[in-house]
Each structure stands twice: as structure tokens, then as C-alpha cells.
Amino acid sequence: MTSVKESDVIDSLIVGAGPSGVVTLRNMRQDGRLQNVLVVDRNERVGGLWINHIPRYSTLQTLKCDWELHGVTIDENEPERRASCDSICRWVQKYVDTFMLQEYIRVNTECVHIAQDGQTKLWTCTLRDVATGHQWDVVSRSVCVCTGTENIPKIAKLPGDATAAMPIVHNISVRSATDLPKDEILIVGAGPSAMDICLEADKAGTKRIYLISRKAHFGIPDNWPIPLGSETKLLRFLFLTLMLPLWLVDLLLTIPTTMWAWWYDVPAWKPVDVYASQDYPFLMRAALLPAIRQGRLVPMIAEIESIDGDEVKLTSGTVLHPQKIVCATGWSYDYKFIPFYRNIEFDDLQLKLFARFMDIDHDGLFFVSIPASFFCVTSAADIASRAILQVLTGDWKRPSDNVIHDYINNVVRKRLALAGLYERELRDLGFVI
């Protein structure tokens, strides 16, 4: 790197102007010590992935009441418990307007490459104007990656898929109910995207909807009675107010979800040797219960054993003849602007992040969207960005390599970042949260 004037170096480049990006910007600006912060986003307005990457029918896994942050709320009354893509985009714009952040955000601008100088540890970030193609460099002390958690659609290799007479697609390619068949569909996966596809197929009147996953997940119904308003608030109450141990919280969550699955006769959603701290909590939509009772939606614990023309055989022995297979099987990350993190799996990236956001091999590189597993992305971004601020301002000191690797092996490898529990993790690591 050629010599750079101190005045030309910015404090932080934030890549992405979605919920995580604008929350990170707000926290840096509010602190007052990091004044030279720039946010870039390739879209024409703020909103991030929620603008056009995610299908319009997609809804939040977390409840919309959890998106109330720093006094900014989702105002729409419908849907009752979940918010749409458009609602999230409006929330982001409202948040930007509330804290007057627009002047620090450059839209229609893509980060195409970052590289760190081995001596100065400064980051040279190459930016590109989407409209003109013009490129220029910005030098920054830090880079905060806020590009969300969805990048490359991941479809597992299915036995016999080369012979399939029906289309096999990733859920991202299903943009509306018109993309779904009328007679029979097979949905692979059990996460929020799978639930969205099930809802769309139900609305489209698909006669038979098969939903398969390879194991019984920790499944939470979205209509269970939460006395504190949301799963996030409940977990924070249990972990931060009552200071309950992890094993007891796991037990308290497992009992009502098991009872819910038994009461509504959804055996595939009953947790079996799975706890909230160990697996992602997938929310069964209450709106799908009528379809389950009618036998139109059939959730099963099974995998595809073979595909032969128009026939699909499952490991359970069931034979199906779906008109389409939709794989709601997640994503791989493709940080094209980070040469050393192209097409990396989520589990592999997590093992490189101390405190679930700080790259252990590259000083000044942070991933703000990663910690969100069982609580709203805005809350996770708020917590992570406040911790990042303490790193950048020198209020927190990096521990020894032994402490870092012990944390990754004994915490990250063994449990998720739950609301409340994640704050306790960071406090144990010396952060003021």
C-alpha cells in the first residue's frame, strides 16, 4: 500500500444498508468518537436483501414486535405477528430518517474488493458505481460486513436427480404462487423459507403438500402463548433477569413445544433429543394447521432415497409423484469482495469469528449479521455493533489466543447465539453490554 494521509483514512466502511447496516451506522454515529463512517449498498435505496433478493411473500421468522429498536417500530397492523419484505424496507427507511443517517449512506455503490495491508492493518476497499462502472479506492481502519446471511442458493445432490421428470429448484426461484403446481409438491427443508413455500402452496390450492426434513428440529409454533410478547423477550427474561442456567431454559422451552406438537398432532415437529441451544428453532406457522388436519400438508422426518423419472422414493418408504421439488435447504456465503471468504459454509465461517462477529485472522474485519439465530436481526446487530465499537475505540482489549480458541471450541461449536445468552457471553468476554 502506498502511503496514505491520516485525514484520508475513514474509521469504518459498512457494506450493506439493510437492517444490520443502518443499526451499526447509528451506533457508531451516536457514540461520537467514530465520525468518519461510510455505508455502501448496491441497491438504489436502503433495505438490503429485503428489497428484491427475497420473494415478496416471504415473512420474518422472528416476530415483528422484535423489530422495535431505539424507538423505531413497524407500524403496519397486518400481518398480526409477522412482517413482510415491504414492511421491513419501510422500517429501515424510517430508522434512517429518525436518526438522520442518509448523508452517510451511498446507494448504487458496490464494494468489489477489500485487502488489508500487512504492516499498517488498514483496509483498501475498492468501490464501484453501479450505474457508471467507475471504480475508486477508500482506505478504512475497519470493515463491517452487513450483507445479510443469504448469498448462494444451496441444493444438495439428490440421488437420481439427473433422471427427474419434474423440476428441482431452490426456494429463491419461487417468486409467487403461480410457480407452484396444482396437484402435488415436495418441499425439502423445515426452516422459515419452507414454511413460506408451504403457505404459498396452501393459498394456491395445491392438493398435496409434502414437507420433509432429515431430523426432528426444535420446532416452535408461532401461536404458542408467550407471556412477554415474543420469543426474544422471553429468552432475555429467562437469561438476563432470572439468570437461569442454560439447561433449565432448554427444558422450559422443550416442554411447551412438545405439548404443542402433541396437542395439534404434528409429530414431525416434536423435539427429540434436540434443544433450543443446539439447533435452529424452526417456527411451524399456525396458519398451516388446517392443511395438516385436512391431510393436504404432510410433514415427515425423511430424506429422498431415490428419484426415478416422475417417482420419488423417501427413506421412510413413501413413494411420491410430485410435479415439482422445492429445496428450501439454505445458502452458502459468497463474499465476492473478500478474496479469502468466497463460497464459504456458515459453519466454517462461524469458527473464524471470536464473539461471533470478530475475524480472528484479520484485524478490523467484522461480520455483523452472523450472530442472529434465535432473535431478531436488528437486536443482534445492535448488540454486535456496540461490541465492535468497543473494539475500535480501545475500550476492550483482545484476550490471549488460548482464550479465543477455547471460546470457539467450547461455545461456538456447541451452542447457538440465543437472545439473552449471547449478551451473557459477551459480558463474560469483557464487553460492556
Side-chain angles (χ1 to χ4, degrees):
M1 177 187 293
T2 57
S3 60
V4 180
K5 292 182 180 179
E6 184 70 18
S7 59
D8 294 334
V9 179
I10 67 173
D11 293 311
S12 189
L13 175 73
I14 300 173
V15 184
S20 296
V22 299
V23 170
T24 300
L25 173 61
R26 179 261 183 194
N27 284 345
M28 287 187 175
R29 292 291 307 166
Q30 289 282 107
D31 178 77
R33 285 175 287 179
L34 301 183
Q35 291 298 305
N36 202 350
V37 180
L38 173 65
V39 178
V40 296
D41 195 291
R42 62 189 175 190
N43 292 300
E44 70 281 359
R45 55 189 174 90
V46 298
L49 290 173
W50 296 97
I51 294 177
N52 51 32
H53 180 75
I54 298 174
R56 293 296 90 193
Y57 58 77
S58 296
T59 56
L60 288 174
Q61 179 178 4
T62 49
L63 305 184
K64 73 174 188 178
C65 57
D66 286 331
W67 284 69
E68 179 179 355
L69 184 66
H70 304 140
V72 183
T73 62
I74 291 177
D75 296 329
E76 292 85 3
N77 293 323
E78 296 294 337
E80 184 178 354
R81 286 169 68 82
R82 300 187 184 282
S84 65
C85 291
D86 292 336
S87 293
I88 299 306
C89 288
R90 285 191 289 270
W91 183 92
V92 174
Q93 185 61 63
K94 181 180 177 183
Y95 190 91
V96 169
D97 294 340
T98 299
F99 296 105
M100 297 179 287
L101 303 174
Q102 194 65 57
E103 66 177 290
Y104 308 103
I105 301 173
R106 183 174 181 129
V107 295
N108 287 315
T109 304
E110 182 178 16
C111 181
V112 296
H113 186 267
I114 64 172
Q116 187 176 37
D117 184 273
Q119 292 184 327
T120 66
K121 301 301 181 182
L122 296 176
W123 291 89
T124 298
C125 310
T126 303
L127 308 180
R128 182 177 71 88
D129 187 294
V130 174
T132 66
H134 172 66
Q135 292 191 174
W136 69 99
D137 289 342
V138 170
V139 179
S140 179
R141 294 183 178 86
S142 65
V143 177
C144 294
V145 181
C146 301
T147 54
T149 57
E150 297 180 349
N151 286 276
I152 303 176
K154 184 168 59 177
I155 299 180
K157 179 68 176 173
L158 303 177
D161 56 5
T163 71
M166 77 293 291
I168 302 174
V169 302
H170 190 269
N171 62 273
I172 193 64
S173 68
V174 180
R175 310 305 291 187
S176 71
T178 59
D179 296 326
L180 301 175
K182 290 297 183 183
D183 291 330
E184 188 172 305
I185 186 172
L186 174 59
I187 301 167
V188 182
S193 295
M195 294 298 101
D196 283 332
I197 298 295
C198 286
L199 283 170
E200 285 300 294
D202 185 39
K203 294 175 185 175
T206 302
K207 296 177 183 177
R208 203 73 163 177
I209 307 164
Y210 293 97
L211 174 68
I212 66 171
S213 61
R214 66 177 180 268
K215 61 179 179 179
H217 290 285
F218 182 80
I220 293 180
D222 69 351
N223 67 337
W224 69 328
I226 301 294
L228 298 179
S230 76
E231 291 87 351
T232 295
K233 292 178 182 177
L234 174 63
L235 285 171
R236 285 194 167 132
F237 176 73
L238 296 176
F239 280 124
L240 296 180
T241 303
L242 300 183
M243 295 297 291
L244 298 182
L246 178 59
W247 67 267
L248 183 54
V249 174
D250 271 334
L251 183 62
L252 290 174
L253 291 176
T254 300
I255 291 173
T257 55
T258 303
M259 292 177 63
W260 183 94
W262 171 80
W263 180 262
Y264 287 106
D265 193 23
V266 191
W269 226 250
K270 183 176 73 172
V272 180
D273 297 326
V274 177
Y275 298 99
S277 63
Q278 299 169 350
D279 201 359
Y280 286 94
F282 293 145
L283 281 73
M284 170 61 79
R285 307 292 165 84
L288 292 170
L289 290 175
I292 292 176
R293 295 193 187 102
Q294 296 163 11
R296 292 179 50 244
L297 172 59
V298 183
M300 296 183 288
I301 304 301
E303 296 182 74
I304 294 177
E305 181 177 296
S306 64
I307 301 174
D308 185 6
D310 65 349
E311 182 178 284
V312 178
K313 185 177 181 180
L314 304 181
T315 52
S316 61
T318 303
V319 177
L320 308 176
H321 294 85
Q323 294 171 290
K324 178 176 281 191
I325 299 176
V326 178
C327 297
T329 45
W331 310 78
S332 294
Y333 295 148
D334 186 18
Y335 297 112
K336 295 180 180 178
F337 60 97
I338 309 177
F340 41 88
Y341 287 145
R342 287 177 177 162
N343 197 8
I344 185 171
E345 294 292 330
F346 173 72
D347 291 342
D348 294 332
L349 179 59
Q350 275 204 116
L351 299 181
K352 296 180 179 295
L353 302 180
F354 180 64
R356 303 186 191 267
F357 64 79
M358 184 191 315
D359 192 303
I360 60 176
D361 296 323
H362 304 89
D363 291 343
L365 180 60
F366 308 101
F367 292 80
V368 181
S369 304
I370 299 301
S373 57
F374 195 2
F375 57 112
C376 183
V377 65
T378 52
S379 300
D382 180 46
I383 296 165
S385 60
R386 282 189 281 136
I388 290 170
L389 185 63
Q390 294 170 47
V391 177
L392 295 178
T393 57
D395 292 340
W396 176 87
K397 300 300 182 184
R398 180 182 174 118
S400 67
D401 288 344
N402 287 337
V403 171
I404 290 174
H405 291 295
D406 283 347
Y407 169 83
I408 289 176
N409 290 327
N410 297 321
V411 177
V412 176
R413 286 182 182 271
K414 295 183 179 180
R415 69 187 189 215
L416 302 175
L418 304 183
L421 184 62
Y422 183 46
E423 288 97 310
R424 271 169 46 175
E425 280 183 22
L426 293 182
R427 291 173 184 174
D428 290 342
L429 295 173
F431 292 98
V432 179
I433 301 294

